[in-house]
Amino acid sequence: MKRTNELIVALAVMAVIIVITWGLFAVGDNMPRGVTPFSKDVYQLHNLILGIVTVAGVLVFTAMFTSIIVHRKSKGYEPAKFTHSTKAEIIWTAIPVLILVAMAIPSTVVLIDMEDTGGAEMNIKVTGYQWLWKYDYLEDDVSFYSAMDRESNRARQIGSGIDPRTVENYLLEVDNRMVVPVNTRIRLLLTADDVIHSWWVPELGWKRDAIPGTVNEAWTYIEEEGVYRGQCAELCGKDHGFMPIVVEAVSREEYDAWVAEQREETARVAHEAARLWTREELMDHGANVYQAQCAACHQADGSGLEPAFPALARDGAPTGELREHMEIVLHGREGTAMTGFGERLQPQDIAAALTYTRNAWSNGDGEVVQPSTIAELDQG
Amino acid sequence: MSQETTAHHDDHDHHPTGIARWLFTTNHKEIGTLYLVFSLIMFLIGGAMALVIRAELFAPGLQLVNPEFFNQMTTMHALVMIFGAVMPAFVGLANWMVPLMIGAPDMALPRMNNWSFWILPFAFTLLLATLFMPSGAPASGWTLYPPLSLQGGNSLAFVILAIHLMGISSIMGAINIIATILNMRAPGMTLLRMPLFIWTWLITAFLLIAVMPVLAGAVTMLLTDRFFGTSFFDAAGGGDPVLYQHIFWFFGHPEVYIMILPAFGIVSEIIPTFSRKRLFGYTSMVYATASIAFLSFIVWAHHMFTVGMPLGAMLFFMYATMLIAVPTGVKIFNWISTMWRGSMTFETPMLFALGFLVLFTIGGFSGLMLAIVPADFQYHDSYFVVAHFHYVLVTGSVFAIMAGVYYWLPKWTGYMYDEKLGKIHFWWSTIWVNVLFFPQHYLGLAGMPRRIPDYAVQFTEFNMISSIGGFMFGFGQLLFVYIIWKCARGGEKATAQVWEGARGLEWTVPSPAPLHTFDTPPVVDDSVAVHKDNLS
Amino acid sequence: MSLLTDKKPDNRSDRRRSIIRTALILAAVVLVIYLSFIGQAVLTYFGS
């Protein structure tokens, strides 16, 4: 009688729990299946484990709530006297162990596959900076920085008044995407220049830390053309949330064309660095560089954010000696958040930014800095 | 089982009053109260910081705070909650209940006990003061990973000193607890007759002693790297940032068990009482707790699966982590078996204990998912992890603390708390805590990283829901404060027994428990012991 | 003296000695762990 009662209640309880569980699965999205063999393996593994723990949960909660309903003092239920059962302890130790072994096997297989980075057809070195990424394609000799795009950067400033929902791919677009060919085994070498970052593109199926002083390896093989977006996944300072990753997977032909384009661009930029620029060109380009690289900290109007980010309008390095100003912009300032830009920007960008900051906001003394001046300096 | 409460009144003539009473007390009950009040205040402060976070994350875009300040909030929220709210609350409960449960007149080292407490307000003044310094509070996460943590200003030194002080407080407390439990049990209170709360605290105290010094070592190395020219964690000088992570998490993983084992103990006291049935599988429960504690030392790298560890290491840590599910599962099954065919009533302590059982289990399941390394490559550093640890810490540890407070308040104050309000607090908290944290599972799976002040628009809906849950849950805790205050002031008088099914030495002293109890050791036999071990 | 057995000292001064001994043993454990970490930081600073 007791047993039957418990059983009936248990079945009803289980039904309710299953409905609730189904609802919880329905309201949210699952992890993306992704576009690489690894991401698909991880997706399946994730579903398997989630399925097992869900079943376990349904059973455990059914027992619990059945007891709550049936074994109540208010229903006049008398408490039983049993206090232990060695048999039960053995069973509910052994069965979970077996289930865990069953989980561990596919997990091990998938992991071993991921960790085998051999047989790469191309290598890309990924370097994390505060707060952007750099990509060096080792075989194709292409190299560029990839920072969050201007639209997002402007919209995300506090009190910008711009509704993020009007910005396309808000926080998930960059100025220079990492373009790669599909169906190619690509090895990624990850490191960082300053603090620990982490490179994560969910649709590729993994993330890996980019650690200064170490090179981590990972590989990917993208099976479908498309654009895949990710973000930095290790707290790296104030703009940790604002250094996205965009991978664009294209056909082999499109990739080769892109590489050729990049090489032309490199040559063009080098030429630009060598020629003479007019003041107007420098101010114009300088305003752009300032907005993209400097405004986040020093503010668009140069007012800064004391004490961390000095004001530049009618104050600070732009109003002082050019030598010192150049030194700070190229190599950063020790012990502060001001990093050096000498490596990551072209000479014309540095020259333009220097010219701009030395002349904007009524700082102006008409001083102009030529890209060739910068290019000639030893950029350490 | 006689109890002398009227003798030694001449002592009380010399008992100080006012501030001096609280500053110099060596009494375990008063020190317990100090810890609990301190912890409640810290809980509200940490909660306020959480609300700053959830307010900013309510909508995409940056509306309220700068990213730098946001990072300070996430860092301080965790430090305050872990070291200021959860740990001191458990120590407060231990101080009050350990001597009462084992029939001892006080803790083994009462003066050290006083010091253990008073270090804490000083340490937290130091920590919270960094918020007002020019370089701001630490903003590199409570885990303080270098090189990022070394980029800050001088406030790092204050944080490190604060952490050292908190560590010393915990270590002294742990020594006190072990010395008390091993030396001062009443005759007849054998180890296998001790309440589970005593066992879990005994084991927790050993964990504290083993790992707090390791944390001290880790932060000292941060200090010397930053101020004294060493390069433990700087590759340019021959060091390695990952070394810090290993040392930190060698502390960090046992730390989370330090925060849950006493919770297991509390729940193991409450469920038998309200089921009117002895705890099922007492010996098993003791062994399971010890196994969990042992395993907690060999799983630390599961917090670091993405740093680039050798394959063999990742496999080892995956298997070891998965194994913890076994003793934890054993405990869950034993609690349910205690309920099974008991005669249950559902007063507030029982409601919180049952809430713990369901919701901590959910947190345990997400933990098992996180153990699977290839899957963790997606989950790590996403909101999935945030969801996991908040389930085990809030609906786990905090719910257990609340359960313990409701359970023992009548013993401490002599008055029953307002049962109706207690139930409202429980239901309000349970509903809103799930609205707050469950959506974060989806956010993590969808690709939202942690520790970001702003997010891409596809994460909007669940962030909004989570923030609403946060505010509602947060404000509901003010009800908890009111209930405690109201209970301390008066109410229905509590008997010594308080709860019909309660068993143990603490229920043999009057309510409120007199300042001095068990000056003469009580007699311990089967009628009082929670476990019939058939030894005598 | 007993650490983990159930035999405990009967009189006050034995118990006091036992408590102090427990506390000192534990403090020694703490010190060893402290020193092995902090000690190396100090040694490194002084260049040995």
Side-chain angles (χ1 to χ4, degrees):
Chain A
M1 182 56 215
K2 246 190 211 173
R3 276 243 164 83
T4 332
N5 196 17
E6 284 161 2
L7 197 54
I8 295 174
V9 172
L11 288 170
V13 164
M14 188 181 282
V16 171
I17 293 179
I18 289 178
V19 169
I20 296 175
T21 308
W22 179 86
L24 289 173
F25 274 84
V27 356
D29 286 326
N30 201 352
M31 174 192 282
R33 189 160 165 269
V35 295
T36 70
F38 182 73
S39 72
K40 293 167 188 172
D41 282 342
V42 164
Y43 176 75
Q44 276 184 336
L45 191 55
H46 158 77
N47 284 332
L48 172 68
I49 310 293
L50 181 55
I52 292 174
V53 302
T54 304
V55 169
V58 168
L59 292 172
V60 167
F61 297 144
T62 298
M64 239 191 100
F65 285 100
T66 304
S67 186
I68 288 174
I69 293 173
V70 177
H71 306 134
R72 302 176 156 239
K73 183 174 181 204
S74 62
K75 297 256 171 72
Y77 203 92
E78 281 296 309
K81 294 276 192 265
F82 59 84
T83 58
H84 68 281
S85 159
T86 315
K87 184 163 86 172
E89 302 288 351
I90 293 179
I91 294 177
W92 62 46
T93 305
I95 293 185
V97 168
L98 293 173
I99 297 176
L100 288 176
V101 170
M103 288 181 188
I105 295 174
S107 307
T108 306
V109 169
V110 175
L111 181 60
I112 290 177
D113 185 45
M114 175 66 188
E115 293 304 294
D116 173 17
T117 56
E121 296 170 67
M122 63 185 277
N123 293 280
I124 304 179
K125 179 173 145 198
V126 176
T127 310
Y129 288 84
Q130 283 172 311
W131 292 280
L132 66 161
W133 297 94
K134 183 177 187 228
Y135 299 109
D136 291 286
Y137 290 58
L138 299 183
E139 288 84 6
D140 291 315
D141 202 25
V142 169
S143 192
F144 55 90
Y145 290 90
S146 179
M148 188 166 73
D149 80 319
R150 286 268 295 275
E151 285 303 308
S152 293
N153 203 15
R154 200 179 308 140
R156 65 98 166 182
Q157 301 297 334
I158 186 168
S160 71
I162 304 174
D163 183 355
R165 280 162 277 218
T166 63
V167 179
E168 204 175 338
N169 293 312
Y170 178 65
L171 299 188
L172 292 177
E173 187 57 90
V174 296
D175 50 10
N176 300 311
R177 296 174 173 181
M178 185 179 114
V179 178
V180 290
V182 287
N183 297 321
T184 311
R185 196 173 161 96
I186 305 169
R187 186 168 71 137
L188 291 132
L189 298 162
L190 298 123
T191 186
D193 188 67
D194 35 46
V195 298
I196 303 179
H197 301 266
S198 190
W199 200 84
W200 184 28
V201 180
E203 290 187 275
L204 299 187
W206 51 268
K207 66 174 64 69
R208 189 123 317 176
D209 289 357
I211 302 170
T214 319
V215 179
N216 274 337
E217 284 187 325
W219 68 272
T220 191
Y221 183 97
I222 305 178
E223 295 174 318
E224 295 165 36
E225 294 183 31
V227 178
Y228 309 113
R229 304 171 191 277
Q231 294 182 268
C232 177
E234 183 61 60
L235 179 62
C236 54
K238 76 178 191 69
D239 280 349
H240 161 62
F242 306 109
M243 45 182 291
I245 296 152
V246 180
V247 175
E248 189 173 345
V250 297
S251 67
R252 178 43 77 162
E253 302 75 44
E254 280 176 75
Y255 173 73
D256 289 335
W258 176 83
V259 169
E261 226 177 82
Q262 291 299 110
R263 293 229 184 95
E264 269 171 41
E265 177 68 16
T266 311
R268 187 192 71 80
V269 159
H271 168 75
E272 285 294 289
R275 73 168 175 88
L276 215 58
W277 286 50
T278 68
R279 182 169 185 277
E280 234 180 288
E281 283 176 314
L282 285 167
M283 285 300 284
D284 215 44
H285 185 53
N288 285 340
V289 173
Y290 182 81
Q291 180 58 28
Q293 304 288 344
C294 323
C297 298
H298 291 289
Q299 309 308 309
D301 60 0
S303 57
L305 214 66
E306 298 288 344
F309 312 122
L312 302 177
R314 300 170 293 286
D315 199 355
T319 58
E321 281 296 309
L322 176 61
R323 263 275 130 203
E324 208 198 304
H325 187 191
M326 238 190 265
E327 175 62 34
I328 294 171
V329 170
L330 284 172
H331 300 125
R333 212 202 265 272
E334 183 88 36
T336 69
M338 176 66 184
T339 182
F341 288 82
E343 294 230 346
R344 72 173 81 166
L345 293 179
Q346 302 297 334
Q348 57 269 39
D349 301 329
I350 304 270
L354 287 169
T355 307
Y356 178 77
T357 51
R358 295 185 81 75
N359 287 284
W361 318 301
S362 19
N363 280 4
D365 63 351
E367 190 164 11
V368 145
V369 183
Q370 287 294 338
S372 49
T373 315
I374 305 296
E376 273 153 33
L377 290 175
D378 181 25
Q379 298 192 18
Chain B
M1 268 178 309
S2 70
Q3 162 56 36
E4 292 173 335
T5 60
T6 51
H8 307 298
H9 262 298
D10 39 302
D11 285 344
H12 295 222
D13 292 344
H14 303 296
H15 199 83
T17 52
I19 308 259
R21 168 185 171 195
W22 295 105
L23 223 44
F24 299 116
T25 177
T26 56
N27 181 284
H28 73 101
K29 301 184 178 77
E30 291 182 335
I31 294 174
T33 302
L34 284 171
Y35 269 107
L36 288 167
V37 169
F38 174 79
S39 138
L40 186 58
I41 295 171
M42 287 293 126
F43 181 60
L44 295 173
I45 293 178
M49 294 171 176
L51 291 184
V52 171
I53 295 171
R54 284 313 329 163
E56 181 56 65
L57 292 176
F58 178 74
L62 282 174
Q63 298 88 14
L64 301 168
V65 296
N66 282 316
E68 307 91 309
F69 186 69
F70 183 88
N71 291 343
Q72 292 177 31
M73 285 291 99
T74 50
T75 305
M76 295 293 275
H77 162 72
L79 286 170
V80 166
M81 287 304 204
I82 292 170
F83 293 106
V86 172
M87 289 173 78
F90 282 132
V91 176
L93 293 174
N95 257 292
W96 252 106
M97 304 312 300
V98 166
L100 285 177
M101 284 177 166
I102 63 175
D106 206 301
M107 299 291 287
L109 300 153
R111 274 171 286 202
M112 187 172 82
N113 205 10
N114 172 290
W115 244 45
S116 297
F117 172 74
W118 279 108
I119 286 180
L120 290 183
F122 183 63
F124 277 90
T125 306
L126 272 180
L127 181 64
L128 293 170
T130 59
L131 282 165
F132 303 102
M133 293 175 187
S135 46
S140 47
W142 82 280
T143 47
L144 299 174
Y145 282 4
L148 181 65
S149 55
L150 300 176
Q151 280 187 345
N154 292 330
S155 59
L156 182 67
F158 286 86
V159 177
I160 291 176
L161 181 55
I163 290 177
H164 269 291
L165 289 171
M166 294 170 211
I168 291 172
S169 163
S170 293
I171 290 171
M172 294 200 298
I175 291 178
N176 220 337
I177 286 178
I178 295 175
T180 307
I181 295 175
L182 293 184
N183 290 291
M184 293 174 66
R185 280 168 285 129
M189 173 70 72
T190 60
L191 286 171
L192 287 175
R193 276 193 187 152
M194 299 195 304
L196 244 299
F197 182 66
I198 305 293
W199 267 112
T200 54
W201 245 117
L202 179 64
I203 293 171
T204 302
F206 277 104
L207 288 180
L208 277 165
I209 282 173
V211 302
M212 292 308 295
V214 176
L215 175 65
V219 300
T220 304
M221 285 189 260
L222 275 182
L223 188 77
T224 60
D225 263 23
R226 175 79 172 78
F227 296 107
F228 298 115
T230 58
S231 37
F232 290 108
F233 310 126
D234 174 18
D240 183 2
V242 177
L243 172 66
Y244 175 86
Q245 294 186 35
H246 280 290
I247 301 177
F248 180 85
W249 286 113
F250 186 79
F251 147 77
H253 195 78
E255 165 68 14
V256 309
Y257 287 96
I258 287 167
M259 291 196 283
I260 200 66
L261 293 188
F264 289 163
I266 295 172
V267 167
S268 302
E269 298 299 319
I270 292 177
I271 292 185
T273 296
F274 294 95
S275 306
R276 291 161 183 75
K277 202 155 145 279
R278 286 183 191 266
L279 182 68
F280 186 90
Y282 174 95
T283 329
S284 232
M285 291 294 256
V286 173
Y287 284 125
T289 310
S291 315
I292 293 172
F294 167 72
L295 283 170
S296 76
F297 281 105
I298 57 171
V299 297
W300 76 87
H302 68 226
H303 298 270
M304 300 163 52
F305 278 143
T306 61
V307 297
M309 246 189 288
L311 173 65
M314 287 196 283
L315 287 174
F316 168 77
F317 283 108
M318 175 166 79
Y319 302 145
T321 307
M322 290 169 79
L323 264 185
I324 299 196
V326 176
T328 312
V330 163
K331 293 185 87 78
I332 310 245
F333 301 140
N334 275 281
W335 284 318
I336 297 180
S337 302
T338 307
M339 292 161 64
W340 192 261
R341 300 209 178 139
S343 178
M344 286 190 273
T345 52
F346 302 95
E347 291 84 336
T348 308
M350 183 61 159
L351 288 175
F352 272 103
L354 293 176
F356 170 97
L357 207 45
V358 175
L359 300 172
F360 172 79
T361 301
I362 293 178
F365 286 144
S366 58
L368 183 54
M369 292 169 73
L370 288 163
I372 309 296
V373 179
D376 186 56
F377 287 161
Q378 291 278 47
Y379 310 137
H380 178 68
D381 256 313
S382 78
Y383 259 81
F384 192 80
V385 179
V386 178
H388 159 69
F389 67 68
H390 282 102
Y391 263 88
V392 292
L393 280 175
V394 181
T395 61
S397 304
V398 172
F399 269 31
I401 291 169
M402 291 180 173
V405 168
Y406 281 109
Y407 189 51
W408 287 312
L409 256 180
K411 177 59 58 184
W412 303 333
T413 63
Y415 300 110
M416 296 304 290
Y417 60 85
D418 185 328
E419 181 60 47
K420 186 146 139 267
L421 287 182
K423 290 198 162 85
I424 294 175
H425 174 229
F426 167 74
W427 286 109
W428 183 270
S429 299
T430 300
I431 291 169
W432 293 113
V433 84
N434 282 293
V435 173
L436 166 55
F437 291 121
F438 204 82
Q440 296 182 358
H441 291 109
Y442 302 120
L443 286 171
L445 293 181
M448 181 177 173
R450 335 169 28 177
R451 294 169 166 171
I452 55 177
D454 188 7
Y455 48 79
V457 298
Q458 67 258 35
F459 303 130
T460 305
E461 290 72 32
F462 283 134
N463 267 293
M464 262 184 194
I465 295 172
S466 175
S467 288
I468 292 173
F471 273 85
M472 298 300 257
F473 175 73
F475 288 125
Q477 304 321 306
L478 297 175
L479 178 58
F480 183 52
V481 177
Y482 173 70
I483 294 171
I484 295 171
W485 177 78
K486 183 178 172 194
C487 177
R489 288 185 70 227
E492 182 195 326
K493 275 204 187 315
T495 59
Q497 173 76 6
V498 185
W499 310 107
E500 185 196 357
R503 182 196 304 272
L505 283 173
E506 69 271 29
W507 308 109
T508 64
V509 307
S511 307
L515 202 56
H516 299 289
T517 43
F518 298 132
D519 284 340
T520 319
V523 173
V524 176
D525 58 29
D526 267 348
S527 68
V528 175
V530 297
H531 178 223
K532 285 166 84 144
D533 60 2
N534 297 323
L535 303 171
S536 244
Chain C
M1 208 276 340
S2 58
L3 261 186
L4 278 178
T5 70
D6 282 317
K7 285 207 282 281
K8 281 179 314 305
D10 286 330
N11 64 65
R12 240 183 128 109
S13 68
D14 275 351
R15 173 165 336 161
R16 179 177 307 203
R17 220 172 304 142
S18 173
I19 288 176
I20 304 281
R21 197 158 141 178
T22 312
L24 285 177
I25 291 176
L26 295 170
V29 170
V30 168
L31 223 51
V32 165
I33 304 177
Y34 250 123
L35 289 176
S36 67
F37 282 92
I38 297 184
Q40 71 168 316
V42 171
L43 284 177
T44 308
Y45 178 63
F46 286 110
S48 36

